[in-house]
Amino acid sequence: MAEPAASISGSGTPKPKSSSKSSSKSPPMSPRPEISWPVNRPPEQGPWTPRLDAALRAREASTLQHASPNSLAKEFYANGRRSLAGIALRAFFLGTTLGVSILMTLLLLYYNNNFWRATFFLATLSLFHFLEFWTTAAYNTPLATVASFLLTNGQRYQQAHTIALLETLITSYFFPDWQSHVNPPSTIIIGLAMIVIGQSVRSVAMAQAGTNFNHQVQSRRNEGHELVTTGLYAWLRHPSYFGFFWWGLGTQVVLGNIVSFLGYLGVLWYFFSTRIRRKRISLPSVPRCFMLT
C-alpha cells in the first residue's frame, strides 16, 4: 500500500504523517529523494502533488541566473589580447594599405616615376604582416592574438623599416638617375625573386610547424611541442628564419637601398644567429632545434 502524501506546514517545512520508522522533519539524506525540497516552499498547507512540485521547480528556476551561451571571455573584447575588434581593425587597414599601395605602384610605374619603390615597400610590408597573423590563425589557432600581426615588433624593427623608407624616398627625389643606374630592371627582378621565395618559405614553414611555431623564443620544451622533421624542416633547420632573412634583403634590393641593405644584412645576421644560439643553450638535448619561432 502506498504511503500517505505529505502535508505542507505553516513554517514551510513538509510535515509527513506519523510513522513508526521515522518522524524527522529534515529533508531526506538520500542522494535521490522521492520528492524535491525546493527553496520556494509555499506557506499554505496542502497535499504535495506532482503538479505542485513542477510549479515550484519552475518558480525556482526562474530566479536563477544562467550564463549566456553566447558569452565570450574578456580577452575577446576591446583592448583584450584577442580583441575581435582589434583584429578586424588591423586586418582592414592592412588590406586597405595593400590595395592602395599596389594601385599607386602600378600608376607610378606607368608614368616612370621612381617613387613606385616606396609604395611597393608599403605593399610588401602590409602583405607580410597580414600573412603573419593569417598563417598563425589558420595553423596555430591557440596562439593567434592581436600581437600575431607583429605590428609592434620592437622599436628597432620599426626603425629599420622607417630608415629604409626614408632612404628610398630621398634617393628617388634627389638622385633619381643614380638610383636607376645602380638598380636596373635585372636587379629588381632578382630582388622580387628573393621576396617571393623568402615570404613563401616563411609562410609554409609556419604552416608545417603548426602548433609548434611561436613568435617568442621558448626556453624550455612545453607539453604538446613536437620535433618537426618533415617538409621544409627536413632540409632547413630554421626555415622561418631563412625566409625572413632573404625577404628582408630582397625588399632592399628592389628599393635600391645600399645603406639599408648593408644595415639589414648585419642586423638580421646578428639577430638570427643570437636566437639560434639561445635555442641551442636552452634545448641542449634536442638534436634538431624545435621550430618555435
Side-chain angles (χ1 to χ4, degrees), residues 201-212 226-240 288-291:
V201 170
R202 179 170 176 84
S203 296
V204 171
M206 291 173 60
Q208 291 180 345
T211 55
N212 297 298
E226 297 179 359
L227 183 62
V228 182
T229 57
T230 59
L232 292 175
Y233 294 95
W235 302 92
L236 297 171
R237 178 167 295 190
H238 303 280
S240 62
R288 185 183 289 267
C289 290
F290 277 92
M291 301 300 108

Side-chain angles (χ1 to χ4, degrees), residues 13-241:
T13 304
K15 184 177 181 181
K17 293 184 178 181
S18 60
S19 173
S20 60
K21 294 183 179 180
S22 174
S23 61
S24 174
K25 296 182 180 180
S26 61
M29 300 304 294
S30 170
R32 292 185 179 181
E34 295 180 0
I35 61 174
S36 63
W37 299 85
V39 176
N40 301 322
R41 298 186 178 94
E44 68 277 0
Q45 296 184 0
W48 190 273
T49 64
R51 184 176 180 180
L52 177 61
D53 181 74
L56 293 178
R57 283 179 178 272
R59 186 192 307 172
E60 185 176 357
S62 65
T63 61
L64 298 178
Q65 295 181 353
H66 300 280
S68 172
N70 297 324
S71 61
L72 293 174
K74 291 183 178 180
E75 63 180 356
F76 290 100
Y77 289 92
N79 301 322
R81 59 190 295 267
R82 297 188 182 186
S83 169
L84 298 181
I87 291 173
L89 191 63
R90 287 163 175 78
F92 172 78
F93 280 114
L94 286 174
T96 302
T97 303
L98 176 61
V100 173
S101 298
I102 291 176
L103 182 62
M104 290 298 298
T105 300
L106 295 176
L107 187 62
L108 292 171
L109 279 172
Y110 178 78
Y111 287 104
N112 197 26
N113 190 312
N114 283 359
F115 281 104
W116 70 264
R117 292 177 172 83
T119 56
F120 171 81
F121 187 45
L122 293 177
T124 305
L125 286 175
S126 300
L127 180 61
F128 169 78
H129 286 287
F130 174 78
L131 288 177
E132 285 296 294
F133 176 82
W134 183 87
T135 310
T136 303
Y139 298 96
N140 193 9
T141 308
L143 293 184
T145 64
V146 174
S148 298
F149 283 103
L150 293 187
L151 293 174
T152 56
N153 200 24
Q155 292 184 352
R156 293 182 180 179
Y157 177 84
Q158 297 171 355
Q159 290 170 358
H161 290 328
T162 301
I163 292 173
L165 182 61
L166 289 176
E167 182 179 354
T168 192
L169 287 174
I170 293 173
T171 53
S172 296
Y173 184 79
F174 292 103
F175 312 102
D177 295 335
W178 177 82
Q179 188 182 51
S180 300
H181 177 72
V182 299
N183 195 27
S186 59
T187 303
I188 294 175
I189 293 175
I190 294 175
L192 288 173
M194 293 169 64
I195 292 174
V196 172
I197 293 175
Q199 181 66 74
S200 300
V201 170
R202 179 170 176 84
S203 296
V204 171
M206 291 173 60
Q208 291 180 345
T211 55
N212 297 298
F213 184 89
N214 197 311
H215 283 119
Q216 302 297 326
V217 176
Q218 305 297 291
S219 59
R220 60 187 178 86
R221 178 179 177 179
N222 296 325
E223 183 178 357
H225 285 166
E226 297 179 359
L227 183 62
V228 182
T229 57
T230 59
L232 292 175
Y233 294 95
W235 302 92
L236 297 171
R237 178 167 295 190
H238 303 280
S240 62
Y241 292 171

